[in-house]
Amino acid sequence: GIEVIDGEIQNFSNVDFLIKNNCIQDEEFLNSIKSVLNENGCVISKEFERVDEVTNEDFQLISRVLLDDGNYLYMMKMKTPEKPPQISIEITLNVEEWLEPLKQAISEHDSILIYAHNTSESPSGIIGLFNCLRFEVLSKKQLTCFLIDDETAPKFDINHPFYKTQLTRNLKMNVFKHG
């Protein structure tokens, strides 16, 4: 269901993904694609040197992966206005703790954040719950999910700088695992 097209930027609109080598520091390219990407569109770039930040103020770095060949694969997207969730609910193994508050949040709020701290002894199932809610219940609402699967991570707090920074990326699913 994906159409791959190779062509000139100006011939496109409403694009989900743009893939290009060495474009993170290419201001001219980044400025030219602002009107081409859709609201959630991403740019994927293979870079031959490590880049620690995007210099173009309209884009933000989402992820960086070191490839086997020593190069880096980056994903970035345009910055969007920060919309903090109206309510956050911790998902635990004890469904009775969070089911009613979640139902109430769904009926009263447009922006909901769910989060879970996984451990090897207690996997939360939050990804399955997130997918069910997103596709079956909350199609018109903003749902954000944090899965914290790393014992070194700070306890979730929407005001903690670690999580606050991640929230500014405006991603639906956020997973912190193995650093």
Side-chain angles (χ1 to χ4, degrees), residues 77-123:
K77 65 182 274 189
M78 289 188 58
K79 291 180 181 174
T80 53
E82 186 178 339
K83 301 175 209 162
Q86 295 167 316
I87 189 167
S88 58
I89 297 172
E90 183 174 13
I91 306 302
T92 64
L93 291 179
N94 185 353
V95 176
E96 294 165 357
E97 289 179 353
W98 55 264
L99 185 58
E100 286 306 316
L102 181 59
K103 285 180 183 178
Q104 185 175 353
I106 290 169
S107 68
E108 295 177 2
H109 300 287
D110 291 327
S111 177
I112 302 162
L113 182 145
I114 59 174
Y115 68 95
H117 291 271
N118 267 10
T119 65
S120 56
E121 298 84 39
S122 63

Side-chain angles (χ1 to χ4, degrees), residues 46 65-73:
K46 182 177 181 182
V65 176
L66 177 60
L67 302 174
D68 291 338
D69 62 3
N71 295 314
Y72 293 87
L73 189 65

Side-chain angles (χ1 to χ4, degrees), residues 24 45 60-65 73-76 169 171:
I24 293 224
S45 179
Q60 61 186 338
L61 186 61
I62 301 299
S63 68
R64 174 181 54 229
V65 176
L73 189 65
Y74 291 87
M75 185 170 90
M76 61 184 168
R169 294 185 171 122
L171 300 172

Side-chain angles (χ1 to χ4, degrees), residues 2-174:
I2 296 174
E3 183 179 1
V4 177
I5 303 171
D6 188 9
E8 298 296 318
I9 292 293
Q10 64 271 16
N11 297 332
F12 298 103
S13 64
N14 199 30
V15 172
D16 293 312
F17 287 98
L18 281 171
I19 302 170
K20 185 178 184 313
N21 286 336
N22 294 314
C23 69
I24 293 224
Q25 303 297 331
D26 186 343
E27 292 291 322
E28 185 178 329
F29 172 76
L30 293 177
N31 287 326
S32 72
I33 63 172
K34 286 188 241 180
S35 62
V36 172
L37 287 173
N38 67 29
E39 181 180 307
N40 295 306
C42 295
V43 179
I44 297 174
S45 179
K46 182 177 181 182
E47 301 284 330
F48 302 109
E49 294 180 10
R50 180 182 166 123
V51 178
D52 291 321
E53 63 182 61
V54 178
T55 56
N56 187 300
E57 65 185 29
D58 295 318
F59 287 87
Q60 61 186 338
L61 186 61
I62 301 299
S63 68
R64 174 181 54 229
V65 176
L66 177 60
L67 302 174
D68 291 338
D69 62 3
N71 295 314
Y72 293 87
L73 189 65
Y74 291 87
M75 185 170 90
M76 61 184 168
K77 65 182 274 189
M78 289 188 58
K79 291 180 181 174
T80 53
E82 186 178 339
K83 301 175 209 162
Q86 295 167 316
I87 189 167
S88 58
I89 297 172
E90 183 174 13
I91 306 302
T92 64
L93 291 179
N94 185 353
V95 176
E96 294 165 357
E97 289 179 353
W98 55 264
L99 185 58
E100 286 306 316
L102 181 59
K103 285 180 183 178
Q104 185 175 353
I106 290 169
S107 68
E108 295 177 2
H109 300 287
D110 291 327
S111 177
I112 302 162
L113 182 145
I114 59 174
Y115 68 95
H117 291 271
N118 267 10
T119 65
S120 56
E121 298 84 39
S122 63
S124 67
I126 194 170
I127 293 176
L129 174 65
F130 171 76
N131 284 326
C132 287
L133 289 173
R134 192 173 68 150
F135 293 118
E136 296 175 16
V137 179
L138 298 173
S139 60
K140 301 270 191 251
K141 298 187 183 234
Q142 180 182 336
L143 179 65
T144 304
C145 179
F146 275 79
L147 170 59
I148 301 112
D149 196 2
D150 190 313
E151 293 178 11
T152 65
K155 181 151 178 59
F156 185 84
D157 176 352
I158 201 165
N159 294 312
H160 189 285
F162 178 77
Y163 298 109
K164 202 170 194 173
T165 298
Q166 190 63 27
L167 275 169
T168 64
R169 294 185 171 122
N170 204 21
L171 300 172
K172 302 288 184 203
M173 173 58 74
N174 302 269

